[in-house]
Amino acid sequence: MKTKTLSFRRTVNNSELSLKDVGREVTLSGWVHRRRDHGGLIFIDLRDRFGLSQVVFDPTKEKRAHEIAESLRSEDVITIEGKVSARTEGMANPNLKTGEIEVYVEHIEVLSKAKTPPFSIADEHIQVNEELRLKYRYLDLRRPGIPEKLVERHKAMMRIREALDKENFIEITTPLLGKSTPEGSRDYLVPSRIHPGTFYALPQSPQIFKQILMVAGMDRYFQIAPCLRDEDLRADRQPEFTQVDMEMSFCTVEDLFPIIENLCHEIFKDFSSQEIPKTFRQETFEWCLENYGTDKPDLRFGMPLKRIDDIAKNSSFSVFLNVLESGGSIKGICVKGGADISRKGIDEYTAYVGQLGVKGLAWMKYQEEGLSSSIVKFFPENEQKALIERFEMEKGDLLFMVADEPKRVNQSLDHLRRKLAKDRNLIDPDALSFLWVTEFPLFKWDDEENCLTTEHHPFTSPHYDDLDLIESDPLQVRSLSYDLVINGYEVASGSQRIHNGDLQAQIFKTLKISEEEVKERFGFFIEALSYGTPPHIGAALGFDRLIMILTRTENIRDVVAFPKTQKATDLMSDSPSAVPSELLRELSLEIDV
Amino acid sequence: MKTKTLSFRRTVNNSELSLKDVGREVTLSGWVHRRRDHGGLIFIDLRDRFGLSQVVFDPTKEKRAHEIAESLRSEDVITIEGKVSARTEGMANPNLKTGEIEVYVEHIEVLSKAKTPPFSIADEHIQVNEELRLKYRYLDLRRPGIPEKLVERHKAMMRIREALDKENFIEITTPLLGKSTPEGSRDYLVPSRIHPGTFYALPQSPQIFKQILMVAGMDRYFQIAPCLRDEDLRADRQPEFTQVDMEMSFCTVEDLFPIIENLCHEIFKDFSSQEIPKTFRQETFEWCLENYGTDKPDLRFGMPLKRIDDIAKNSSFSVFLNVLESGGSIKGICVKGGADISRKGIDEYTAYVGQLGVKGLAWMKYQEEGLSSSIVKFFPENEQKALIERFEMEKGDLLFMVADEPKRVNQSLDHLRRKLAKDRNLIDPDALSFLWVTEFPLFKWDDEENCLTTEHHPFTSPHYDDLDLIESDPLQVRSLSYDLVINGYEVASGSQRIHNGDLQAQIFKTLKISEEEVKERFGFFIEALSYGTPPHIGAALGFDRLIMILTRTENIRDVVAFPKTQKATDLMSDSPSAVPSELLRELSLEIDV
């Protein structure tokens, strides 16, 4: 069969035709989505990325085309020429954009035949095993679900670039083949052939390069940057991920926050009918931990943690009293209407926090007759009243309390709070909650190494009000770093960097890093900082996570065109794979399994 | 010294102030570009990426600030507060955007001190060795030259994305960690830790993925994609480079050419005052070879090659006659006004083509008395007249002729033509010449392997008019592939791909590749093509080359922020480098130098 040269150039795509096109001669191309034979006529739903069109083969009019149509199978690629007709009364499909018309075929070319796919493309509601979907990603992408998310991803990239370009940011591509450094997570290495025995490292982030660009005077940089980490993967990680990376000179958070807030506006403006606040709420790290037990609280729902040390100490409940005596603390959360949770339900929540290392989950229900539970009797009436007031309890509510060391109290109640929100459907899927978390501590104590270390990296600036504390009480020093939390996910992280050589030296001294060690560990970067460094501030946004929130999926593989499994395998191309031994010889490498 | 929190937030940058700002209180920040002490006053040119501002320290007014200014050195970073004044009569600097004003400093903070740089930033005309510039790239980027090119690069990326987005293309990121394949150039490999003894390959191009995306029905894809090749580098290559990669379904060149022509418009519209044609000239591969000796002719200047076999055969010049007899051919070029080239000059050009394997360079000058040279006597008068006519020679012109096997004739005259254009300044630096080269041959004969092979890859479609020749005369089959040549550089390359399984099988059969071998060499890709492949067409544009033309540089390192040397080394970070042996053990690798 000789291919007809131009016939496959469609004149419209499969979502465009409507009643106003009736009578028009058109060329349509696409995949055979479904075929139905009805009393001589053959109906085909023709599919492309844009939609479906119904095309009709009438044996009494176009015998040859009808014969070809009889041989068509799902996923064959065809092109047809024909005339647009209105569907007969009652046959219109209101669920389809092109549902009021059909095209009577005059000419058909089969462009490409298809083998039977390993899963149905047309039956979109059939659940297909994810491994099979990944192996045949090109067929998975023909079904609804992923393609729309990739389009959203593209649109978000466009909007981010436009917004940052308007603010005078320049997108600069930084190298993929970089320097291996011992900081951070594990690098992917790339052996050099030209320099035997040496390696490049793929970037975990462009952090060093973006700071270098500020030293270079580029003023405002951004990049939608590929980053790679050779980690043992968790469910929501990929070995390759994408970061919206940015840095700006002679600026502070007062400049940076509005820019990122605007980016979020651009990305999320069509997310729901709910309005996004122009500026985002800001809370300190300490406030978040106290009130939500985490530095990334999901504020789409309430149920804050309340401390009740003062009430508990007036009770005679020995569990609480013992915890208080040993320096622990007690917090609780109030579950609105939670009195309907059965004893079995409460046991399950107790087991849930038990997995997080918490010994028990105390509870009280507020019912007609007042608070009730096996421990109510240990609380004098006044203290019962105090509890009701603190948690603003109403009849029908349930109070959960955890007494333990402070860290564990926070962690378990944070998890419990989020589990309850899920179980009780407290989260409006249309809601977005944006929160800046500020004033993270600069230092932390490393119990293993028994020394002071930094929360982020040693180039993060201390809070200017806390400079006097660096020597006297370093653990109290707040930093100028901040996270953006959306719906309980840490989506962006950034900091003001140190630009002053004296201050930088003081930080290294506090960390007990000698000048020699500084040189060895931070190499050319520390040299670069010594030639006149502007004050600069920057952030990195986890782009995949942003798109996950935007497209309402919990699966990172849904927002990546060709994702890898948790074993870092590409099932489609079967990669990684063995390579010929000549290649390894060229790289001066031997495998030693 | 305690850092003053907000002072470094400039109110304007260093290019913004003019006479209309006189009297305004401003905060400026930047680098000390130059310091001049004049009769008590200290003048500083303060620099940022946007420009220079002159700031003045008057010891009679602000003693403290003046004292600090006395200690300032080049490249220190400072912030100042002060009042804008008009410069005194005659002191304005017309070469500077801010040249009519200066700022009298009231307050200064030194933000960061600078060591003495290894080369001067302010003396921009001093030539600095490129190795030193690359080692201190962050200082090199403070000088004029590279930063403007990076800004142009950013702008071009923005325009490309906007233009393709408008045409319904979706930017889709394809994986960096891919499958190693034996096709093409040498891959950079990435050892897998989780699967010992196996490797990923970094992408040489997203070719396979973009075709897969068409099979997947994504319809129109693009990506400004990082690509990597482990080659021994030529001067104009980098191990990492950038490609504007695109592919579209149900389309032909009639759809693709206008899109790429529009991209070029967007990129080059501010290049010069000369207008860019709306559609670009198209010539066949054969026409280009015949008339310019190359498939990428630079049409910014004339001097086409003309074949003179017919004239030469009537001469008695034995060199020409011998070449004709042994199946060679003779072509020439006419150098306008070239009669001024001395005998020594001609000898140098002869030596130049000699390096390309050509034994001699015949020449004739057209002077008052007619054609002259030592070989004119072998040409009857009629043939002399024919030569003059063929080359449209005028008095004062010079004719160069090469007789050799056809390939060498073309190659040497192409080189000679370009050398002459350079030497004789024939190229208007404002000119742009765009040319589509079409109808490349589909197959070529591989002399080494003594078999038929493909010019591009085996998925390139044959010209639909030549399908009958595939079996009978494969070397005559033209392909549907095409290059875009700008100013003599191959800037884009693309082709219509085969979508029909039968035709694909016929091509493999012609190439004598068995079904088994197809499976082994092309693996999952050939499987993907069997599930219904749409007709598709695509191209890749060499983005670095585009930016080189746009910014008028011959050095690819000028258009990359952090380039590598020809030895693939990053001099700034000293990469590639040795890594700790634990890392290699984790990767199950041993070095075997």
Side-chain angles (χ1 to χ4, degrees):
Chain A
M1 187 187 72
K2 198 161 162 174
T3 310
K4 192 177 160 189
T5 310
L6 294 183
S7 62
F8 56 72
R9 292 183 73 205
R10 62 192 170 204
T11 52
V12 287
N13 71 42
N14 286 308
S15 78
E16 287 179 285
L17 295 173
S18 65
L19 281 179
K20 69 172 173 17
D21 298 295
V22 166
R24 192 173 152 196
E25 286 282 342
V26 294
T27 302
L28 289 175
S29 293
W31 286 262
V32 172
H33 191 61
R34 265 195 208 90
R35 192 187 101 184
R36 291 180 307 277
D37 298 25
H38 278 310
L41 296 179
I42 294 177
F43 295 88
I44 287 193
D45 287 340
L46 193 60
R47 189 193 69 236
D48 60 20
R49 180 164 74 78
F50 306 98
L52 292 174
S53 298
Q54 178 164 292
V55 302
V56 190
F57 298 81
D58 183 343
T60 66
K61 289 187 179 146
E62 299 290 346
K63 194 161 178 297
R64 175 83 188 109
H66 186 270
E67 270 169 26
I68 294 174
E70 276 185 316
S71 74
L72 289 178
R73 302 184 53 186
S74 289
E75 301 307 310
D76 286 347
V77 181
I78 62 171
T79 192
I80 64 105
E81 289 172 20
K83 192 178 266 184
V84 182
S85 299
R87 293 200 195 180
T88 46
E89 195 80 30
M91 300 303 283
N93 180 349
N95 298 321
L96 207 61
K97 266 181 90 176
T98 61
E100 295 188 294
I101 59 92
E102 56 199 358
V103 176
Y104 273 82
V105 177
E106 289 150 12
H107 181 78
I108 175 172
E109 291 270 348
V110 180
L111 299 170
S112 153
K113 295 290 293 175
K115 289 198 301 198
T116 306
F119 48 83
S120 168
I121 311 297
D123 301 325
E124 55 186 73
H125 299 296
I126 291 178
Q127 284 287 322
V128 182
N129 164 294
E130 197 181 16
E131 287 211 355
L132 199 62
R133 285 173 46 207
L134 292 178
K135 181 167 164 58
Y136 295 94
R137 187 62 157 181
Y138 44 89
L139 298 177
D140 189 32
L141 288 171
R142 292 187 192 167
R143 308 175 89 215
I146 313 297
E148 302 83 344
K149 294 185 179 67
L150 297 180
V151 173
E152 287 298 315
R153 189 182 171 106
H154 160 67
K155 282 189 193 162
M157 286 200 287
M158 288 298 297
R159 287 171 177 182
I160 288 170
R161 288 189 159 108
E162 278 162 24
L164 290 175
D165 178 64
K166 261 186 210 150
E167 297 283 351
N168 267 320
F169 283 81
I170 301 166
E171 184 159 27
I172 297 176
T173 308
T174 54
L176 288 174
L177 298 176
K179 169 99 171 169
S180 176
T181 53
E183 301 292 305
S185 312
R186 200 186 285 105
D187 289 325
Y188 276 107
L189 296 180
V190 181
S192 162
R193 176 180 56 86
I194 298 175
H195 307 278
T198 67
F199 296 80
Y200 304 98
L202 297 175
Q204 296 186 32
S205 90
Q207 181 70 32
I208 294 279
F209 283 110
K210 72 175 171 174
Q211 290 197 243
I212 287 278
L213 285 168
M214 294 305 102
V215 174
M218 293 305 293
D219 211 86
R220 292 190 169 198
Y221 143 94
F222 85 100
Q223 188 180 191
I224 302 188
C227 303
L228 301 99
R229 278 179 207 169
D230 185 10
E231 294 292 301
D232 296 311
L233 301 177
R234 298 201 314 250
D236 64 344
R237 288 276 177 91
Q238 284 279 303
E240 308 181 38
F241 55 100
T242 304
Q243 227 171 254
V244 181
D245 196 51
M246 51 196 291
E247 195 80 20
M248 59 206 295
S249 292
F250 303 113
C251 289
T252 69
V253 283
E254 291 173 76
D255 307 285
L256 182 65
F257 278 9
I259 287 170
I260 294 182
E261 284 159 356
N262 180 46
L263 280 189
C264 290
H265 264 269
E266 287 299 320
I267 296 169
F268 288 104
K269 62 186 174 190
D270 304 324
F271 180 83
S272 77
S273 59
Q274 297 185 18
E275 210 159 318
I276 301 170
K278 202 158 169 52
T279 58
F280 301 159
R281 180 170 170 182
Q282 297 183 22
E283 299 291 353
T284 65
F285 171 80
E286 212 181 307
W287 183 93
C288 293
L289 277 190
E290 181 59 25
N291 291 285
Y292 291 92
T294 173
D295 58 2
K296 44 181 183 181
D298 185 345
L299 299 186
R300 285 177 298 174
F301 59 96
M303 227 192 298
L305 280 54
K306 307 253 179 194
R307 184 182 292 275
I308 51 166
D309 295 354
D310 55 333
I311 299 172
K313 81 169 198 288
N314 296 330
S315 77
S316 55
F317 186 39
S318 60
V319 175
F320 282 10
L321 294 173
N322 289 342
V323 163
L324 286 177
E325 217 160 275
S326 60
S329 76
I330 305 158
K331 288 184 179 178
I333 54 177
C334 170
V335 187
K336 281 283 143 203
D340 63 0
I341 299 177
S342 67
R343 190 57 218 234
K344 190 165 159 268
I346 291 176
D347 286 348
E348 281 167 11
Y349 287 118
T350 308
Y352 178 74
V353 295
Q355 289 166 5
L356 300 165
V358 167
K359 271 168 238 98
L361 183 63
W363 60 271
M364 294 179 186
K365 288 183 176 178
Y366 190 19
Q367 286 166 320
E368 279 312 319
E369 59 279 17
L371 290 177
S372 76
S373 88
S374 58
I375 64 164
V376 170
K377 60 184 176 227
F378 300 117
F379 287 76
E381 202 162 317
N382 260 353
E383 306 307 324
Q384 289 187 32
K385 229 180 113 189
L387 282 174
I388 289 168
E389 270 173 26
R390 178 138 322 156
F391 290 95
E392 299 171 36
M393 286 180 86
E394 296 168 304
K395 300 269 165 75
D397 291 354
L398 168 68
L399 177 61
F400 278 132
M401 291 160 287
V402 171
D404 211 313
E405 57 174 76
K407 213 170 174 174
R408 215 176 269 155
V409 169
N410 280 336
Q411 203 199 7
S412 59
L413 283 176
D414 165 44
H415 276 80
L416 181 61
R417 174 177 171 269
R418 288 185 285 133
K419 183 165 173 48
L420 281 161
K422 226 174 186 174
D423 292 352
R424 299 179 70 80
N425 257 318
L426 301 185
I427 300 173
D428 174 359
D430 264 358
L432 283 171
S433 107
F434 296 92
L435 175 70
W436 286 114
V437 182
T438 63
E439 300 189 5
F440 281 82
L442 185 66
F443 299 105
K444 65 181 173 190
W445 189 257
D446 184 334
D447 284 328
E448 259 173 59
E449 303 281 331
N450 206 28
C451 70
L452 211 59
T453 177
T454 50
E455 274 282 348
H456 286 78
H457 52 63
F459 308 105
T460 304
S461 176
H463 198 293
Y464 297 136
D465 293 344
D466 293 355
L467 296 179
D468 294 338
L469 294 172
I470 295 174
E471 254 172 78
S472 58
D473 195 357
L475 287 170
Q476 290 306 312
V477 176
R478 293 163 300 166
S479 70
L480 292 179
S481 67
Y482 32 79
D483 282 358
L484 175 63
V485 176
I486 307 181
N487 294 358
Y489 292 105
E490 181 206 311
V491 160
S493 188
S495 67
Q496 187 87 40
R497 329 295 183 183
I498 298 172
H499 59 270
N500 178 295
D502 296 340
L503 181 56
Q504 186 68 64
Q506 194 189 2
I507 298 292
F508 281 134
K509 202 180 137 205
T510 308
L511 291 167
K512 297 197 167 43
I513 305 179
S514 70
E515 272 183 53
E516 272 161 47
E517 210 184 331
V518 166
K519 222 170 184 169
E520 200 185 295
R521 278 172 62 186
F522 306 107
F524 80 99
F525 178 58
I526 208 81
E527 166 87 353
L529 294 175
S530 69
Y531 288 102
T533 298
H536 56 296
I537 187 170
L541 287 75
F543 184 65
D544 305 293
R545 170 63 64 188
L546 274 170
I547 303 305
M548 285 168 70
I549 296 172
L550 180 68
T551 62
R552 304 175 192 228
T553 176
E554 294 283 319
N555 185 348
I556 190 172
R557 292 178 294 280
D558 284 356
V559 297
V560 175
F562 299 103
K564 295 201 170 53
T565 65
Q566 271 175 261
K567 288 245 172 243
T569 304
D570 176 357
L571 295 176
M572 185 176 76
S573 70
D574 188 26
S575 150
S577 58
V579 298
S581 51
E582 309 94 82
L583 287 186
L584 295 185
R585 265 198 301 279
E586 281 191 327
L587 296 172
S588 311
L589 288 179
E590 263 180 22
I591 293 172
D592 173 37
V593 180
Chain B
M1 187 187 74
K2 198 159 163 173
T3 312
K4 192 177 161 192
T5 311
L6 295 182
S7 63
F8 55 72
R9 292 183 72 205
R10 62 193 169 203
T11 52
V12 287
N13 72 40
N14 286 310
S15 78
E16 286 180 285
L17 294 174
S18 66
L19 281 178
K20 70 174 175 9
D21 297 296
V22 167
R24 193 173 152 198
E25 286 283 341
V26 293
T27 301
L28 290 175
S29 293
W31 284 262
V32 172
H33 191 62
R34 266 196 209 88
R35 193 187 100 185
R36 294 180 305 279
D37 298 25
H38 279 310
L41 295 179
I42 295 177
F43 295 87
I44 288 194
D45 287 342
L46 193 60
R47 187 193 71 236
D48 59 20
R49 179 164 74 79
F50 306 98
L52 291 174
S53 298
Q54 177 165 292
V55 302
V56 190
F57 298 81
D58 182 342
T60 65
K61 287 187 182 146
E62 299 290 346
K63 193 161 179 297
R64 176 84 189 106
H66 187 269
E67 271 169 27
I68 294 174
E70 277 186 314
S71 73
L72 289 178
R73 302 184 51 186
S74 288
E75 300 308 310
D76 286 346
V77 181
I78 62 171
T79 192
I80 63 105
E81 289 172 20
K83 193 179 267 182
V84 182
S85 298
R87 294 201 195 178
T88 46
E89 195 80 30
M91 300 303 282
N93 179 349
N95 298 321
L96 207 61
K97 266 181 90 176
T98 61
E100 295 190 294
I101 58 92
E102 55 199 359
V103 178
Y104 273 82
V105 176
E106 289 151 12
H107 182 79
I108 176 173
E109 291 271 348
V110 179
L111 299 171
S112 153
K113 295 292 291 176
K115 289 200 300 199
T116 306
F119 49 82
S120 168
I121 311 297
D123 300 326
E124 54 188 75
H125 300 296
I126 291 179
Q127 285 285 322
V128 182
N129 164 294
E130 196 181 16
E131 287 212 355
L132 199 62
R133 285 173 45 206
L134 292 178
K135 181 167 164 58
Y136 296 94
R137 188 61 158 180
Y138 44 88
L139 298 177
D140 189 32
L141 288 171
R142 291 187 192 165
R143 307 175 90 215
I146 314 297
E148 302 82 344
K149 294 185 178 67
L150 296 180
V151 173
E152 287 299 315
R153 188 181 171 107
H154 159 68
K155 281 188 192 160
M157 286 201 286
M158 288 297 298
R159 286 170 177 183
I160 290 169
R161 288 189 159 108
E162 277 162 24
L164 290 174
D165 178 65
K166 260 187 210 148
E167 297 283 352
N168 267 321
F169 284 81
I170 301 167
E171 184 159 27
I172 296 176
T173 308
T174 54
L176 288 173
L177 299 177
K179 168 101 171 169
S180 176
T181 53
E183 302 293 305
S185 311
R186 200 185 286 107
D187 289 324
Y188 276 108
L189 297 180
V190 182
S192 162
R193 177 180 55 87
I194 298 175
H195 307 279
T198 67
F199 296 80
Y200 304 98
L202 297 176
Q204 295 185 34
S205 90
Q207 181 70 30
I208 294 279
F209 283 110
K210 72 175 171 174
Q211 290 197 244
I212 287 279
L213 284 168
M214 295 304 102
V215 174
M218 293 306 292
D219 211 86
R220 291 189 170 199
Y221 143 93
F222 84 101
Q223 189 180 191
I224 301 188
C227 303
L228 300 100
R229 278 179 207 170
D230 185 10
E231 294 291 300
D232 296 311
L233 301 178
R234 297 200 315 250
D236 64 343
R237 288 277 177 91
Q238 283 279 303
E240 309 181 36
F241 56 99
T242 304
Q243 225 171 256
V244 181
D245 195 51
M246 51 195 292
E247 194 79 22
M248 59 205 296
S249 292
F250 303 113
C251 290
T252 69
V253 283
E254 291 174 77
D255 308 284
L256 183 66
F257 278 9
I259 287 170
I260 294 181
E261 284 159 356
N262 180 47
L263 279 189
C264 289
H265 264 269
E266 286 300 318
I267 295 169
F268 287 104
K269 62 186 173 189
D270 304 324
F271 179 82
S272 78
S273 59
Q274 296 185 18
E275 210 160 318
I276 301 169
K278 203 160 167 52
T279 57
F280 300 159
R281 180 170 170 182
Q282 298 181 23
E283 299 290 355
T284 65
F285 171 80
E286 213 181 305
W287 183 93
C288 291
L289 277 191
E290 182 59 25
N291 292 286
Y292 290 92
T294 172
D295 57 2
K296 43 182 184 181
D298 186 346
L299 300 185
R300 286 176 299 174
F301 59 97
M303 226 192 297
L305 280 54
K306 308 253 182 196
R307 184 183 293 274
I308 52 166
D309 295 354
D310 56 333
I311 299 172
K313 79 168 197 291
N314 296 331
S315 78
S316 55
F317 186 39
S318 60
V319 175
F320 282 10
L321 294 172
N322 290 342
V323 163
L324 286 177
E325 216 160 90
S326 60
S329 76
I330 305 158
K331 288 185 179 177
I333 53 177
C334 169
V335 189
K336 281 283 147 206
D340 63 0
I341 299 176
S342 67
R343 188 60 218 232
K344 191 167 158 266
I346 291 176
D347 286 349
E348 281 167 12
Y349 288 120
T350 309
Y352 178 75
V353 296
Q355 289 166 4
L356 299 166
V358 167
K359 271 169 239 93
L361 184 63
W363 61 269
M364 294 179 186
K365 288 183 177 177
Y366 189 19
Q367 285 165 322
E368 280 313 319
E369 60 279 17
L371 289 178
S372 76
S373 85
S374 57
I375 63 166
V376 169
K377 60 184 177 225
F378 300 116
F379 287 75
E381 202 161 319
N382 260 355
E383 306 307 326
Q384 290 187 31
K385 227 179 115 190
L387 281 175
I388 290 168
E389 269 172 28
R390 176 135 329 152
F391 290 96
E392 297 171 37
M393 285 181 87
E394 295 167 306
K395 300 268 165 75
D397 291 352
L398 169 68
L399 177 61
F400 277 133
M401 290 159 288
V402 171
D404 212 311
E405 57 174 75
K407 215 172 172 171
R408 217 175 268 155
V409 170
N410 281 335
Q411 203 197 7
S412 59
L413 283 175
D414 164 44
H415 275 80
L416 180 62
R417 174 178 171 269
R418 288 185 285 134
K419 184 165 172 49
L420 282 161
K422 228 176 183 172
D423 292 352
R424 300 178 69 79
N425 256 320
L426 302 183
I427 299 172
D428 174 358
D430 263 359
L432 283 171
S433 108
F434 296 92
L435 175 70
W436 287 113
V437 182
T438 63
E439 301 189 3
F440 282 83
L442 185 65
F443 299 104
K444 64 180 173 191
W445 190 257
D446 183 334
D447 284 327
E448 259 174 59
E449 305 279 331
N450 205 28
C451 69
L452 210 60
T453 178
T454 50
E455 272 284 348
H456 286 78
H457 52 64
F459 309 105
T460 304
S461 176
H463 198 295
Y464 297 136
D465 293 344
D466 292 356
L467 297 179
D468 294 339
L469 295 172
I470 295 175
E471 254 172 78
S472 58
D473 194 358
L475 286 170
Q476 290 305 312
V477 176
R478 294 164 299 167
S479 68
L480 292 178
S481 66
Y482 32 80
D483 282 357
L484 175 64
V485 176
I486 306 181
N487 293 358
Y489 293 105
E490 180 206 311
V491 161
S493 188
S495 67
Q496 187 88 39
R497 330 295 183 181
I498 297 172
H499 59 270
N500 180 294
D502 296 340
L503 181 55
Q504 186 67 65
Q506 194 189 2
I507 298 292
F508 281 133
K509 201 179 139 208
T510 308
L511 290 167
K512 297 198 169 39
I513 305 180
S514 70
E515 273 184 53
E516 270 162 46
E517 210 185 331
V518 166
K519 222 172 185 168
E520 200 186 294
R521 277 173 61 187
F522 305 107
F524 79 101
F525 179 59
I526 208 81
E527 166 87 355
L529 294 175
S530 68
Y531 289 101
T533 298
H536 56 296
I537 188 171
L541 285 75
F543 184 65
D544 304 294
R545 171 62 65 188
L546 275 170
I547 303 304
M548 285 168 70
I549 296 172
L550 180 67
T551 62
R552 304 172 192 231
T553 177
E554 294 282 319
N555 184 347
I556 191 172
R557 292 178 294 280
D558 285 355
V559 297
V560 175
F562 299 103
K564 294 200 170 53
T565 65
Q566 271 176 262
K567 288 247 173 240
T569 303
D570 176 357
L571 294 176
M572 185 177 75
S573 71
D574 188 26
S575 147
S577 58
V579 298
S581 51
E582 309 95 82
L583 286 186
L584 295 184
R585 264 198 301 281
E586 282 190 326
L587 296 172
S588 311
L589 288 180
E590 264 181 22
I591 294 172
D592 173 36
V593 181

